[in-house]
């Protein structure tokens, strides 16, 4: 799996309205979105020393993080994801989990992962054993995704970022979450070898600069 380019911009509500109109004219909505958007819930892993959080804050060039993710509160589709970053490029590896497998991880019963045939699941097991990775906190947000096939471009508008504080009950969809401080709206742009000019022009915003916003870091604001 190859690495992809990724830009992140913190934008205003007015910027989002303008981008939504521009992108609707040149790109297509993700077919998996319902009414143009979907809800994402992620459960991030970290160790007792907050390795993933500290490496992000320090800008470590080569870093990784693990999370479990589902969409629209649908427990029938759960993925384990590992996101790696090096030299500003990103790569995401995924593996499907059953609801029972996800629940066993949440309950601290993960011995079965050692014998799993999926290498990403066994890698998480190894790092849970060696590094002490454990579920850390829930991150919820809403995403409006757009796709543009040339360059394999994916643009998303992410907002309403909420934290489960120290809650790790990923499959309890009644779990109370709260706004993650003053988290902004995030524009994310991802592509392979090239970013088409039509997309580059469409996402231009006055005073907007590429940043390094982390939803996980934002959701750790309370601990």
């Amino acid at each position: 799996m190859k690495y992809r380019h990724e830009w992140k911009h913190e934008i205003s509500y007015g910027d989002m309205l303008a981008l939504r109109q521009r992108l609707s004219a040149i790109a297509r909505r993700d077919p998996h979105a319902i009414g143009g958007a979907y809800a994402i819930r992620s459960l991030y892993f970290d160790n007792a020393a907050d390795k993933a959080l500290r490496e992000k804050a320090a800008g470590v060039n080569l870093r990784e993080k693990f999370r479990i993710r589902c969409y629209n509160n649908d427990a029938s589709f759960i993925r384990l994801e590992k996101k790696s970053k090096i030299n500003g490029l990103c790569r995401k590896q995924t593996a499907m989990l059953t609801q029972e497998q996800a629940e066993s991880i949440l309950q601290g019963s993960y011995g079965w992962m050692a014998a799993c045939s999926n290498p990403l699941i066994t890698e998480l097991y190894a790092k849970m054993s060696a590094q002490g990775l454990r579920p850390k906190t829930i991150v919820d947000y809403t995403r409006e995704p757009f796709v543009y096939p040339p360059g394999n471009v994916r643009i998303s508008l992410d907002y309403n970022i909420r934290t489960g504080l120290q809650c790790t009950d990923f499959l309890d969809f009644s779990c109370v979450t709260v706004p993650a401080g003053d988290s902004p709206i995030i524009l994310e742009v991802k592509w392979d070898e090239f970013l088409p000019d039509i997309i580059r022009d469409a996402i231009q915003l006055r005073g907007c600069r590429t940043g390094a916003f982390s939803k996980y870091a934002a959701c750790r604001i309370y601990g």
Side-chain angles (χ1 to χ4, degrees):
M1 182 178 293
K2 59 186 176 183
Y3 283 83
R4 281 163 58 82
H5 299 269
E6 180 180 88
W7 281 350
K8 291 185 180 181
H9 305 274
E10 298 183 22
I11 64 174
S12 68
Y13 181 72
D15 292 334
M16 183 176 73
L17 295 179
L19 285 170
R20 185 185 287 157
Q21 184 175 28
R22 295 177 197 171
L23 293 170
S24 295
I26 61 174
R28 70 170 187 262
R29 295 276 187 172
D30 186 319
H32 297 101
I34 301 173
Y38 47 70
I40 294 179
R41 166 162 287 191
S42 298
L43 175 66
Y44 283 83
F45 290 75
D46 213 334
N47 65 10
D50 288 331
K51 178 178 182 290
L53 181 64
R54 293 178 183 275
E55 288 183 349
K56 171 62 181 178
V60 173
N61 185 50
L62 176 59
R63 59 184 187 270
E64 65 185 24
K65 57 189 175 188
F66 287 86
R67 65 195 178 204
I68 296 175
R69 174 168 286 187
C70 70
Y71 301 84
N72 295 324
N73 295 343
D74 181 4
S76 68
F77 185 90
I78 302 173
R79 289 196 310 201
L80 168 65
E81 299 183 346
K82 173 189 173 184
K83 190 171 182 181
S84 307
K85 194 162 190 176
I86 183 171
N87 298 328
L89 298 176
C90 297
R91 181 177 69 168
K92 185 167 71 175
Q93 298 163 267
T94 66
M96 296 302 300
L97 293 174
T98 66
Q99 183 174 345
E100 292 72 23
Q101 289 172 331
E103 286 176 340
S104 70
I105 294 173
L106 298 181
Q107 295 167 4
S109 176
Y110 53 92
W112 61 272
M113 299 167 69
C116 185
S117 61
N118 189 291
L120 185 59
I121 294 175
T122 55
E123 181 183 355
L124 176 59
Y125 169 78
K127 290 178 178 175
M128 292 178 77
S129 301
Q131 298 179 9
L133 289 186
R134 294 293 184 275
K136 199 72 172 186
T137 194
I138 289 170
V139 176
D140 286 346
Y141 60 97
T142 300
R143 167 165 285 178
E144 292 187 29
F146 297 83
V147 293
Y148 190 80
N152 191 22
V153 181
R154 186 174 182 85
I155 311 108
S156 60
L157 302 169
D158 297 341
Y159 52 90
N160 193 27
I161 302 169
R162 301 177 66 85
T163 174
L165 301 175
Q166 295 183 4
C167 175
T168 59
D169 198 351
F170 174 75
L171 295 173
D172 178 7
F173 299 117
S174 64
C175 170
V176 175
T177 61
V178 298
D182 296 322
S183 296
I185 298 166
I186 303 300
L187 164 67
E188 289 192 5
V189 186
K190 300 174 184 176
W191 72 96
D192 288 343
E193 285 79 12
F194 71 98
L195 181 63
D197 288 342
I198 190 171
I199 298 296
R200 190 184 298 270
D201 292 342
I203 62 174
Q204 293 301 311
L205 296 167
R206 186 182 300 276
C208 186
R209 298 289 183 271
T210 301
F213 185 87
S214 165
K215 298 181 187 73
Y216 170 59
C219 287
R220 291 291 309 279
I221 187 173
Y222 300 113

